[in-house]
Amino acid sequence: AKHAGGNSLRFFDQVDRSGQAEDRLVVEAELRHALRGDELTVYYQPKVNCETSEVVGAEALVRWNHPERGLLAPGAFIDVAEETGLITRLGDRVLKLACAQGRSWLDQNRIIPLSVNVSVRQLQNPQFAADVLKTLHETGFPPHLLELEVTETVAMADPDIVYRITGPLRDAGIRFALDDFGTGYSSLAHLRQLPFDTFKIDQSFIQELGKSEGSRSIVQTILAMAQTMEYDVVAEGVETREQQAILQSIGCGTAQGYLFGVPMDADIFSAWMENCPSRNARRSGSGQTGR
Ligand code: C2E
Ligand code: MG
Ligand code: MG
Ligand code: MG
């Protein structure tokens, strides 16, 4: 009888939800296991100069080499990590791996500034700033080459925490970026006060470029605002030449997206850098002078 009429919808709804709950428990257990081993890894996506396509840095993005499910992107587990608090350990792992990799690139005379995403749970940990500084010290990655990305929603939800955290870290030379900019509801007054260095314009705006009326003006307005506030700007999710051309024409400095490079594991990223001489401008020693 439960299968009949109006009840059937609810029946399947319940099945679906309990299935999801079970999945979450499985993901949590497996994630705990992953954090004890070395299944978590970091991919690197280039950030480029919009005009020259020269690499100016990379964003570190967590990946999970799942023994059965293969390589997983954060969408498959980051929510569970947040809800269970495992994100603190995950974030710590990612930062250590990224800084160690950044140091190893430095040792090969390759200066690659790295951006690492941090979640609200990490920021709420009173030890966070000290932990970050310790990791930099232990890995030998210079603070001025590290940028921490905090989403706009998080930065606005708890400005006090943001101030407390950014103080000592900025004093050490670490930069801060406002991630997914444009998806939150920041007031201009708040934005102006945030001790950040960079806006990362959310990919939803960039992907509209060339498709919809007005999208160009919106991005242009964000750029103008950033300029006034002396923020750098990164356009996220650039996929087409047309989008790049529009960004170039309105003076956007830095871009990131599949057009330039997808997230790659460290070895592939190194090989990718190696294969294109124009990407080597930031190599120390040889430097920018030849171009
Ligand atoms: P995000 O920080 O905004 O990172 C950019 C996301 O956009 C990445 O997805 C990247 O692969 C994707 N992307 C880059 N270029 C393009 C493009 O041209 N087109 C499209 N459609 N997508 C593009 P990913 O790696 O799946 O990461 C998703 C989100 O997960 C990140 O968004 C970030 O919020 C979060 N995340 C990733 N790694 C970490 C981490 O180590 N810690 C924390 N707390 N969050 C992380
Ligand atoms: Mg990010
Ligand atoms: Mg983003
Ligand atoms: Mg995002």
Side-chain angles (χ1 to χ4, degrees):
K2 283 252 194 290
H3 294 74
N7 278 338
S8 62
L9 189 64
R10 192 189 294 164
F11 177 76
F12 286 111
D13 191 39
Q14 280 166 358
V15 168
D16 189 35
R17 274 196 210 153
S18 68
Q20 262 181 12
E22 211 174 290
D23 277 356
R24 294 195 158 239
L25 287 177
V26 172
V27 171
E28 178 184 352
E30 291 181 344
L31 195 52
R32 278 185 198 284
H33 180 263
L35 281 162
R36 284 193 294 268
D38 57 3
E39 290 170 19
L40 291 179
T41 174
V42 176
Y43 273 40
Y44 299 87
Q45 184 180 33
K47 290 190 201 176
V48 306
N49 177 313
C50 216
E51 221 152 296
T52 62
S53 297
E54 201 170 86
V55 176
V56 296
E59 177 172 9
L61 295 158
V62 68
R63 294 291 182 269
W64 181 1
N65 258 317
H66 192 282
E68 284 128 37
R69 296 168 68 198
L71 190 72
L72 300 181
F77 58 90
I78 210 89
D79 286 353
V80 172
E82 294 267 5
E83 285 160 21
T84 55
L86 290 172
I87 191 77
T88 312
R89 280 159 61 200
L90 181 151
D92 192 53
R93 176 74 57 85
V94 169
L95 184 70
K96 283 185 172 135
L97 288 170
C99 289
Q101 183 58 57
R103 177 68 236 183
S104 143
W105 277 324
L106 268 186
D107 292 340
Q108 301 160 37
N109 282 331
R110 211 185 267 294
I111 303 168
I112 304 175
L114 293 178
S115 306
V116 176
N117 295 283
V118 297
S119 84
V120 65
R121 298 284 282 257
Q122 286 175 277
L123 296 178
Q124 284 165 343
N125 173 4
Q127 280 299 310
F128 179 71
D131 287 348
V132 171
L133 294 174
K134 187 165 167 244
T135 295
L136 288 169
H137 183 74
E138 284 172 359
T139 57
F141 190 60
H144 70 274
L145 293 182
L146 179 66
E147 182 174 66
L148 298 177
E149 297 191 359
V150 182
T151 59
E152 182 189 4
T153 350
V154 163
M156 288 302 154
D158 209 334
D160 285 348
I161 284 194
V162 168
Y163 283 114
R164 207 167 57 232
I165 294 292
T166 50
L169 292 177
R170 285 177 61 93
D171 287 349
I174 295 168
R175 298 166 49 91
F176 281 83
L178 202 58
D179 206 350
D180 302 348
F181 180 73
T183 59
Y185 299 91
S186 316
S187 75
L188 286 175
H190 271 121
L191 274 181
R192 217 159 47 89
Q193 284 167 21
L194 265 187
F196 279 40
D197 309 276
T198 309
F199 287 151
K200 296 191 78 177
I201 306 177
D202 191 66
Q203 53 187 43
S204 55
F205 297 100
I206 307 305
Q207 277 156 18
E208 280 300 304
L209 285 178
K211 283 187 202 157
S212 70
E213 293 281 319
S215 58
R216 179 192 165 111
S217 325
I218 291 176
V219 176
Q220 225 165 354
T221 304
I222 297 177
L223 279 174
M225 193 178 76
Q227 224 157 31
T228 312
M229 297 183 187
E230 300 183 316
Y231 273 78
D232 294 332
V233 170
V234 178
E236 294 195 86
V238 181
E239 293 182 354
T240 68
R241 291 261 168 244
E242 188 187 12
Q243 289 160 358
Q244 179 188 17
I246 295 174
L247 288 167
Q248 229 171 298
S249 74
I250 59 180
C252 180
T254 309
Q256 184 180 341
Y258 297 162
L259 175 66
F260 308 104
V262 298
M264 295 167 258
D265 78 26
D267 288 344
I268 294 178
F269 187 91
S270 300
W272 179 85
M273 292 278 290
E274 211 58 57
N275 281 337
C276 179
S278 77
R279 293 180 185 128
N280 286 336
R282 289 191 67 97
R283 249 179 196 273
S284 62
S286 56
Q288 331 236 341
T289 43
R291 294 175 44 94

